[in-house]
Amino acid sequence: MRASPISPTVDFSADGVQHGFLRLPYSRDDSAWGSVMIPVTVVKNGEGPTALLTGGNHGDEYEGPIALFDLARSLKAEEVSGRVIIVPAMNYPAFLAGTRTSPVDKGNMNRSFPGAPDGTVTQKIADFFQRVLLPLADIVLDFHSGGKTLDFLPFCAAHILPDKAQEAKAFDLVHAFGAPWSMKMLEIDAVGMYDTAAEAMGKIFITTELGGGGTSTAKSAGIAKAGVANVLKAAGILKGPIEAAQTTWLDMPDGNCFLFAEDGGLIEPLFDLGDTVRMGDIVARIYPVGRTGEEPLNIRAKLHAIVAARHFPGLIKSGDCVSVLASVVMT
Ligand code: CA
């Protein structure tokens, strides 16, 4: 396979703090020999594990970029044992546009793996992570939030994996992250995800959903900043005590966790994030908006659970995710 067209302006093997770019040639109308300049920071000090930290995999999710731009400007080489690679805005064109997918090619970064060196801009970025950055990493933290169309309880998460030793290490890092909620996560469709690519290489992969609605709050940004520091301490890359936080473990036992709309309309939530619902409860109503006098469509819980995610905009379309329910794990 051909080499990646991306040229890093930093040396991933050099000690010290380096701020630079992953430069991706992108010839276009407003810049004939132009490039996409994806900011990257490498902080390395001697031998030790490598953490690969990413935000902006989806361009309208902000807690990760906030925590990682802050970490990149403040982390000092002498604080580190090993290496920290920080890419605060992985799908940089999407991040600049404030959109989930790239305005260049409509690429959804988290459905583009393993990517392609001769593909679209998004596929080229995915390929660089697949073949250059992921192989350097021992642990991978990829920040997500709900974006403009979903809102989540703030949680850190890892997946149930066939390799139980790898799974246990990931859940240990989720615990160390210390979000108010911790999730054993089930994906609707794991094909093409960065998560799946990292896990297939045996990397210890954790992710988050820390809020949503296309913005952040003081609380959600604070959770992200504290969480990344805790993870680096748990990995032995930073020194100091982990700020032990109370976390409640959640589980997504099967596909009944996901509630989808089969009609569009005006959504009335009957429960909020964190509320407990029983099987059969109406989680939300969808009112048809074409005329008055019509009954709403009732969206009912299919298990006893708490509301972990909800559709964010006030209007909903057929096929949209109304809600994600999760079971509290008794520990
Ligand atoms: Ca996301």
Side-chain angles (χ1 to χ4, degrees):
M1 194 182 278
R2 70 176 66 185
S4 172
I6 292 180
S7 309
T9 68
V10 294
D11 177 354
F12 292 107
S13 63
D15 276 351
V17 176
Q18 301 170 77
H19 303 291
F21 300 93
L22 309 176
R23 191 179 63 77
L24 166 56
Y26 172 45
S27 178
R28 57 198 194 269
D29 287 348
D30 69 340
S31 188
W33 287 9
S35 302
V36 177
M37 302 290 277
I38 304 165
V40 62
T41 290
V42 187
V43 182
K44 184 174 177 298
N45 185 24
E47 297 305 308
T50 293
L52 175 57
L53 309 175
T54 46
N57 177 324
H58 293 132
D60 60 350
E61 305 175 4
Y62 296 101
E63 285 79 2
I66 290 168
L68 295 181
F69 273 109
D70 184 57
L71 183 70
R73 74 174 174 91
S74 56
L75 193 59
K76 296 178 176 61
E78 60 267 27
E79 297 170 330
V80 166
S81 300
R83 179 168 54 182
V84 183
I85 301 172
I86 305 169
V87 183
M90 192 177 179
N91 196 343
Y92 196 58
F95 174 74
L96 290 182
T99 52
R100 180 175 179 83
T101 62
S102 175
V104 176
D105 55 15
K106 290 291 168 195
N108 179 341
M109 182 62 70
N110 224 23
R111 303 293 182 274
S112 296
F113 278 80
D118 53 0
T120 67
V121 164
T122 306
Q123 289 167 339
K124 286 172 177 170
I125 298 170
D127 170 67
F128 187 80
F129 274 83
Q130 176 81 27
R131 291 193 296 147
V132 179
L133 293 182
L134 279 178
L136 297 176
D138 299 291
I139 68 164
V140 182
L141 165 55
D142 185 38
F143 279 102
H144 286 256
S145 300
K148 287 176 178 167
T149 66
L150 290 172
D151 195 14
F152 281 88
L153 280 183
F155 65 78
C156 186
H159 297 107
I160 303 290
L161 296 174
D163 180 334
K164 292 302 164 190
Q166 184 187 8
E167 176 190 291
K169 286 178 187 168
F171 284 137
D172 283 348
L173 281 189
V174 170
H175 187 83
F177 186 101
W181 306 85
S182 297
M183 182 74 84
K184 299 184 178 192
M185 197 148 172
L186 179 73
E187 299 293 343
I188 296 173
D189 179 6
V191 175
M193 293 180 69
Y194 180 50
D195 316 42
T196 310
E199 287 160 356
M201 284 184 213
K203 308 303 181 184
I204 308 306
F205 180 91
I206 64 171
T207 184
T208 68
E209 297 289 358
L210 293 177
T215 187
S216 64
T217 64
K219 191 176 173 200
S220 65
I223 292 167
K225 290 165 67 171
V228 68
N230 283 336
V231 165
L232 292 174
K233 288 172 188 170
I237 296 172
L238 287 183
K239 291 186 178 59
I242 293 168
E243 289 173 39
Q246 198 78 7
T247 192
T248 302
W249 279 88
L250 299 173
D251 186 17
M252 293 161 68
D254 57 46
N256 284 329
C257 293
F258 300 99
L259 299 176
F260 294 99
E262 296 186 357
D263 275 311
L266 170 68
I267 190 161
E268 179 193 4
L270 298 185
F271 292 90
D272 289 322
L273 291 179
D275 286 349
T276 299
V277 296
R278 287 161 305 169
M279 190 183 300
D281 279 350
I282 301 169
V283 179
R285 291 180 177 140
I286 300 174
Y287 286 90
V289 294
R291 62 177 66 236
T292 53
E294 298 284 313
E295 289 299 314
L297 175 67
N298 292 326
I299 306 292
R300 292 181 187 273
K302 297 175 197 165
L303 70 166
H304 184 92
I306 66 155
V307 180
R310 67 174 205 122
H311 188 263
F312 190 77
L315 296 178
I316 193 163
K317 303 181 299 302
S318 177
D320 286 355
C321 182
V322 176
S323 183
V324 180
L325 306 179
S327 306
V328 175
V329 179
M330 296 304 164
T331 51

